[in-house]
Amino acid sequence: MKNSFYRATAWAMSSLFMIALTAPTNGQGPEAEYPAFEKVVEGFTSIESRSPDGQKLSGLWTRDRDSQMFLEIPKDFMNKRYFIALTVSSGDTYAGLQSGDYYVYFRQYNKRIAIVMPDLNNRSTGEPESKASVKRLFTDQVLLDIPIVTMVPRGGPLVDADALFVNQASTFFGGQIRVTNPSLTKIVKAKVFAKNIEIAFEVVGANGKLQTIHYSLSEVPEDTGYRPRKADERVGYFTTAYTDLGFYDRDKVRVRYINRWRLEKRDPKLKLSPPVKPIHFYIEHTTPVRYRRWVKEGIEYWNKAYEAVGFADAIKVTYQDTADPKTMELDPEDVQYNFIRWLNNNQGTAIGPSRVHPLTGEILDADIILTDGWIRHFNFQFQDLLPEIAMEGYSAETLSWLADHPNWDPRLRLGLFEQQRFLSSRIQHAANLPFAGHPIHNPGSAILGDDLYDGLINRTSQVNGLCLAARGKQLDLALAQIALELMMFDDEKKEGDKPEKKNEPKEDMLDGMPESFIGPLLADLVAHEVGHTLGLRHNFKASGLYSLAEINSEAIKGKKPLAGSVMDYLPVNIPYEVGETKGDWTMIGIGPYDNWAIEYGYTPDEAKLPEILKRVAEPELQYGTDEDTGGPDPLARRYDYSKDPLDYAQNQMRLIKYYRSKLLDKFVKPGDSWSKARRGYELTLTEQAKALSMMANWVGGAFVNRDKKGDPGDRNPLIPVSAEQQRKALQFVIENSFRDDSFGMTSELLEKLTSDKWGDEGRSGEPTFPIHDRILGIQATSLTSLMNPTTLRRVFDNEQLVPTDQDAVTLPELMESIYKEIWTELDVAPEGPVSARKPRISSFRRNLQREHVERLVDLTLPGSARSSALKPISQLASMQLKVLKAKIDEIIKGNQDMDPYSMSHLMDIESRISRALNATMIYNLPQNLGGGQAPIIIFGQPAVKNPTSDSNVPVDTVPFDSIVVPASEDSDNR
């Protein structure tokens, strides 16, 4: 193999990694103590390149035959700061995604070089005394160190690049990379440029898998001339933040800069000028040709916003293509280039991370990942998406409750986890609160970094949080495919319709879908991710701009975007009833909020910022982001739609009923597997769970405004949802989850809901459909959404926010509404005779009723919640249990017309309630005697929480006369 000698002084103009360092000083010994440089690099070859001004660059030496490499540290490294940007570029499902980066400096210790990460979180811009104190208290962190091999003549220290980048790969990449056989390492790439060095190694990773790891090393000057811009909570940007301990004013201690690109007008005198350096995106050659123009269109949507602040062609787009060799020489991992990368990994993901200057927030590099999985409509399991949908909007308080009460957890109730594995892991989930146990709150660090929102904890790059935009589109696309296959909008031509013209050209199809449908969806997804790389965060309130009627009108279609922002997760617009106008499938450009956000972030005239922010109360500029989705605002919500989401939820339920009615005769076509019907039905269950979860958020809700005092409109920061809206939302949840007919289940349909039998997929599962588990899972999720302590507390607290002379939903009303619906059979006589084949209480309702009783019991127990609202909640739950017990006692004693199933069910419920009420009374007995609380002891063991749950509580299996309460008459001597 031909030897090549990489000599990579990669930054001649900036002196970045110039291959020179003065001879060791500070008592480190003379240069002669090192082996001779010529002897060390004997047999190695230097790779050289030239800077734009023609200066020769060097700094890397390599010997291909044994894949060894030396790297020279710049001679002036002591005064420099560098980026080490990481990418796993092959051998991983998400190969090509930015894997993080480090902002570092080099320090010499005798004959060793250490890579040190400066503390960026704590600074002082105050008096010299505070600066000295901060420097002493908040010290930097050594990442790693390696020996100096020798000194380069008239240059810097020479280090073993293999020891640094291969042997220490796990230090850089974390658990994502584990090199198992360093001797089989191969140098894949070594390039030298004026501003950076690019190095890549093929390594043997875990389980012998070949992987390529890419390092991009570049200088990051502390002062680039960029002017940071302060962040404001009224408009959503990712931020670079630090604590300035030089201030004693609390409001000034925390400093936040928005993350944005450096855009400067080439001619400041022009109203509309090209930028000095545009934001340049390359569309990777792996992007299918049929989709490229839509990717380009999504990127260029944003140019309109920049034009409004004076920049012409702020964003430039170039195709990388095999027909253009120059573009093929560009490496997407290179920090000089911004790429849109397409991965054929069968995953429904889109991620838009970027790297920022950690001192100022200036965006330096961005690479967007698009994957193909969301286009494959049915290529995911029911279990993959439903937990994200079912738990959407849960607060940290609710997650904490679920950790203590796993029987309430939708993931467990939907049968998505093995019970034992789930229960054994919930303690760990609780330890990680407030963001634990739920994908929305626990992103994978291998992909997204450590922080949910800014991605700036323990790294300097910006990620887009846990962006599920592509996942949402995957579900929407699957449902839309049902509509398209059923030809819903062209199924039966009405009388008077004009006959189809024979020579009329048919619309182009892309992967089985009309291009007019899939193309704009892709452009919208790309625009969303590009928005992240421009600095923008999610805006989940943007979908509430227009009503469904307005969206599907001539005034909006093709003329205006149908939402306030592309930074929301917008469902595909599929109205059940199509009037004269069917609106756009999705956004056809960026929204008014996007224009406003870009105006705030990028307008060159900072004097305009206060006036820009005063528009905060305008309806089209409403903003709520990731952390707001766990709060009380029902409009700050992923996957909702329209100004009145109840209209959207009702539209979706009508669509669901239509889809279910057509699954067998039209959706499954001759020659199809019947498992297609099961996939279709499970999709409708997922959409149903989404609608139910969305509307449950309105109960106890309050709209949250980010206005500041003095902003136009004088809006209150908190406005409770009206009683009428809450009652409508509650009724929707009740009607569409607690009633048997809301699931469209028939014996004819059940006979067809089977699964494929391909063993190679490893997930064929039980052929019969677990109908009771599935329906109870949905019902239990609805109960959790309505009866969790957070929702109940919010309803109770809202009673105080509403003036007493105005209508409000109260805690008793909410609990009574749920109670009456679930126990209707006790008050209504059955129609006709009952039997085991025609029970008075159906099997689905018996499951629901048992679930409801167990929820009430949990709420009565001491320590059930960490809120002052516990007492009224507990008292109301206890009261309902007593009323229910009395009613069941009357039915049993009166020997009313009952079938065996219903009678045994009610007798079991009565027994459970009796034990629970007695246990609660005994548990509280020591308090009633005036002393501290003593535990219940059952055969010497502490009683567990829920006396009605056979699986969790020993009380259910022992007589009450065996309960011992260790208390004496003298409460002081217990």
Side-chain angles (χ1 to χ4, degrees), residues 21-43:
L21 176 66
T22 57
T25 57
N26 299 324
Q28 296 172 34
E31 186 173 342
E33 292 183 6
Y34 293 99
F37 169 76
E38 291 77 10
K39 186 68 174 177
V40 170
V41 298
E42 184 178 357

Side-chain angles (χ1 to χ4, degrees), residues 498-506:
K498 295 181 180 179
E500 183 178 353
K501 296 179 181 179
K502 292 183 179 181
N503 297 326
E504 185 174 301
K506 292 185 177 180

Side-chain angles (χ1 to χ4, degrees), residues 341-380:
R341 312 196 67 176
W342 186 283
L343 309 183
N344 285 81
N345 61 4
N346 206 27
Q347 301 294 317
T349 307
I351 304 174
S354 58
R355 298 184 173 101
V356 304
H357 194 301
L359 300 179
T360 64
E362 178 185 0
I363 299 178
L364 305 173
D365 170 44
D367 295 297
I368 293 172
I369 295 296
L370 302 175
T371 64
D372 63 338
W374 67 277
I375 296 178
R376 293 189 176 96
H377 337 290
F378 291 121
N379 211 3
F380 64 90

Side-chain angles (χ1 to χ4, degrees), residues 259-388:
N259 293 351
R260 60 173 185 156
W261 294 87
R262 182 179 182 179
L263 281 182
E264 300 170 327
K265 285 187 174 183
R266 182 170 294 178
D267 186 348
K269 299 176 183 177
L270 293 177
K271 182 178 180 181
L272 191 62
S273 168
V276 173
K277 182 181 179 181
I279 305 167
H280 193 169
F281 279 102
Y282 293 86
I283 298 175
E284 191 178 20
H285 68 94
T286 55
T287 307
V289 175
R290 60 190 178 278
Y291 290 126
R292 291 184 187 180
R293 79 175 184 93
W294 293 105
V295 174
K296 182 173 184 287
E297 185 169 315
I299 301 171
E300 292 179 338
Y301 279 168
W302 290 95
N303 271 332
K304 179 181 177 182
Y306 285 106
E307 288 175 5
V309 294
F311 293 101
D313 300 320
I315 300 178
K316 180 181 178 181
V317 182
T318 299
Y319 294 121
Q320 184 188 51
D321 195 275
T322 53
D324 185 352
K326 290 184 178 180
T327 62
M328 294 300 295
E329 293 176 1
L330 307 181
D331 298 315
E333 300 87 357
D334 190 331
V335 294
Q336 298 179 90
Y337 310 112
N338 311 307
F339 265 80
I340 309 288
R341 312 196 67 176
W342 186 283
L343 309 183
N344 285 81
N345 61 4
N346 206 27
Q347 301 294 317
T349 307
I351 304 174
S354 58
R355 298 184 173 101
V356 304
H357 194 301
L359 300 179
T360 64
E362 178 185 0
I363 299 178
L364 305 173
D365 170 44
D367 295 297
I368 293 172
I369 295 296
L370 302 175
T371 64
D372 63 338
W374 67 277
I375 296 178
R376 293 189 176 96
H377 337 290
F378 291 121
N379 211 3
F380 64 90
Q381 287 283 73
F382 178 74
Q383 294 95 318
D384 293 341
L385 202 57
L386 191 57
E388 297 170 11

Side-chain angles (χ1 to χ4, degrees), residues 491-519:
D491 197 8
E492 296 177 359
K493 292 187 176 296
K494 299 178 182 178
E495 293 184 8
D497 284 350
K498 295 181 180 179
E500 183 178 353
K501 296 179 181 179
K502 292 183 179 181
N503 297 326
E504 185 174 301
K506 292 185 177 180
E507 182 178 356
D508 289 339
M509 302 291 287
L510 298 182
D511 298 312
M513 292 167 289
E515 185 172 9
S516 62
F517 170 73
I518 191 63

Side-chain angles (χ1 to χ4, degrees), residues 816 819-821 823-830 840 887 890-891 896:
E816 183 70 9
Y819 170 85
K820 285 185 176 180
E821 172 62 31
W823 295 96
T824 304
E825 291 87 347
L826 302 189
D827 299 317
V828 178
R840 178 169 178 173
K887 189 172 291 188
E890 182 181 349
I891 292 174
Q896 294 186 16

Side-chain angles (χ1 to χ4, degrees), residues 178-181 184 203-211:
R178 183 168 62 88
V179 178
T180 56
N181 192 343
L184 298 184
V203 298
V204 180
N207 300 318
K209 189 173 186 178
L210 294 175
Q211 295 180 293

